Amino acid sequence: MEDGASDWVLHVDLDQFLAAVEVRRRPELAGRPVIVGGSGDPTKPRQVVATASYEARAFGVRSGMPLRAALRRCPDGVFLPADNPAYEAASTEVMDTLRAPDLAVEVAGWDEAFVAARTPDPEALARRLQAAVRDATGLSCAVGIGGNKLQAKLATGLAKPAGVARLTDAEWEAVMADRPVDALWGVGPRITANLAALGVHRVHELADATPQRLAERFHPRIAVWLHHLGQGRLDSPVDPTPRAPRGRSHEQTFATDLTDRAVIDDHLGALSRQVADHAVADGTAVARVAVKVRFAPYFTKTRIRKLPAPTVDPQEIAAVARALLDGFEPLRPVRLLGVRGEYPPPA
DNA sequence: TCTGGGGTCCTAGGACCC
DNA sequence: TCTGGGGTCCTAGGACCC
């Protein structure tokens, strides 16, 4: 380009988002270890940490940790229940702030977004976005800069908290080569285990593995994707198209397992009502109903059924949910129940 | 440390029709 | 006639992410 501008992807990631929203509305919590998750009562079992503030992380509290473990590590922590509507509203504030005529913004979750931009100085743009978010919402974020979404996303990890970092083809090898493969976005425990079986543990080993070799353990398409991932390549473009939800689910883990079918049916009724309400709020209807059951000790099954016609009637959704549950007879003790409503595919 | 809740996307296999 | 091939719909579940 004559003007020296190039195409960049920026990844904006809000710092300790849930905890930050809680501190914003209760400033007296600033500087204290704040732990968000579950009902907010850390003495109850079967609940985990959703987000911990940096002060709480200093005590070893991590996302996904049981609340009881967090309480042991951080007895003076402030434990708060998750307030999803508040986080959703705060997220909308942030995303609206990021959107500008010359930027394509893809919302990637409550607390993160990808931004595509053509600019000669992506660091300056990153600082500008950070300032805009801070001025408009009081929240701080880290920004990663890359040549694609993968690079930008991983750069954010280097930028936290509140910083800016760049990871492009030029830096990829120096930064990523020796890191374990699960540092890559999209590589979880199963893929890591399958790669280990091929003797591939580090990113540079993945980059050097041919798709043919990877196809010994993976679907050919996955093999190609992994091969590219190791080299820092990802084709997926930033897509600013607003995404309509595919469905809504509600689930609940019980402090003690349920065995009484009548009690189970009551819970399915309540979950079905929430799903129906959500469909109405989304301006659509439920076309398929899924039931998720986690049996004791920890074994999960899902069943789904298409309805004769889409509905928002909670009774009808509940009736199908109960019928689906019948398919699991004889019923073992139930640890979790979930109901999901899937919306009709876009026309 | 006994393991939440809410999502997305993808694949495989059976049923069914021509 | 016991056997084929293609296409589509539907369900189960894998895998990952925040």
Side-chain angles (χ1 to χ4, degrees):
Chain A
M1 289 298 295
E2 302 302 320
D3 57 3
S6 347
D7 290 315
W8 297 96
V9 176
L10 278 64
H11 179 250
V12 178
D13 194 326
L14 289 143
D15 295 316
Q16 35 155 37
F17 178 58
L18 275 51
V21 171
E22 296 294 348
V23 171
R24 184 178 70 159
R25 66 175 165 186
R26 291 155 72 178
E28 70 272 18
L29 296 181
R32 299 203 52 196
V34 174
I35 297 153
V36 180
S39 67
D41 178 352
T43 66
K44 292 199 171 146
R46 299 182 178 180
Q47 306 188 98
V48 303
V49 175
T51 302
S53 69
Y54 290 117
E55 291 82 359
R57 291 178 202 189
F59 288 89
V61 177
R62 297 285 178 268
S63 294
M65 176 182 285
L67 279 188
R68 295 217 273 200
L71 178 62
R72 247 173 277 136
R73 291 182 182 222
C74 191
D76 296 325
V78 180
F79 289 83
L80 299 172
D83 180 355
N84 290 6
Y87 311 140
E88 201 166 343
S91 176
T92 301
E93 281 179 65
V94 172
M95 300 308 164
D96 288 346
T97 302
L98 292 177
R99 275 185 265 266
D102 55 332
L103 300 178
V105 176
E106 176 183 334
V107 177
W110 273 348
D111 63 345
E112 55 179 295
F114 292 99
V115 176
R118 163 156 292 222
T119 170
D121 189 351
E123 274 79 6
L125 173 59
R127 299 283 178 203
R128 197 146 34 104
L129 293 175
Q130 287 176 321
V133 169
R134 182 177 292 280
D135 290 349
T137 71
L139 298 168
S140 97
C141 57
V143 179
I145 298 166
N148 58 45
K149 292 205 283 191
L150 170 68
Q151 294 174 349
K153 169 97 182 163
L154 296 178
T156 304
L158 311 171
K160 284 180 186 177
V164 174
R166 184 194 280 222
L167 177 57
T168 66
D169 290 342
E171 295 87 17
W172 182 263
E173 210 173 327
V175 174
M176 296 301 298
D178 286 326
R179 300 196 58 189
V181 289
D182 66 358
L184 295 167
W185 185 41
V187 176
R190 302 302 275 252
I191 292 176
T192 299
N194 278 304
L195 287 173
L198 289 171
V200 173
H201 303 93
R202 311 248 159 220
V203 171
H204 71 88
E205 293 169 330
L206 183 58
D208 292 339
T210 62
Q212 290 75 12
R213 179 149 159 259
L214 295 169
E216 290 170 28
R217 304 281 302 197
F218 298 96
H219 189 284
R221 267 193 281 267
I222 303 280
V224 170
W225 168 70
L226 284 170
H227 176 66
H228 288 163
L229 223 50
Q231 300 172 334
R233 297 164 58 190
L234 185 70
D235 291 334
S236 159
V238 175
D239 179 6
T241 316
R243 236 175 296 181
R246 298 304 175 93
R248 298 286 188 179
S249 62
H250 292 277
E251 62 186 64
Q252 187 181 355
T253 292
F254 305 101
T256 52
D257 299 333
L258 306 184
T259 51
D260 183 340
R261 179 62 200 251
V263 174
I264 290 169
D265 281 347
D266 282 351
H267 281 289
L268 286 178
L271 292 165
S272 297
R273 175 161 290 284
Q274 293 180 63
V275 167
D277 288 348
H278 228 131
V280 171
D282 286 335
T284 180
V286 173
R288 303 203 300 162
V289 175
V291 163
K292 173 175 169 181
V293 190
R294 179 124 71 212
F295 298 106
Y298 200 88
F299 181 69
T300 310
K301 288 276 192 185
T302 302
R303 294 237 168 153
I304 187 163
R305 180 181 298 176
K306 187 182 187 209
L307 303 178
T311 184
V312 293
D313 177 5
Q315 308 292 341
E316 190 182 346
I317 294 168
V320 174
R322 288 171 189 139
L324 286 169
L325 193 81
D326 290 337
F328 294 121
E329 296 289 355
L331 219 47
R332 301 205 304 236
V334 170
R335 178 189 171 103
L336 169 150
L337 283 175
V339 175
R340 176 171 178 79
E342 298 202 345
Y343 300 151

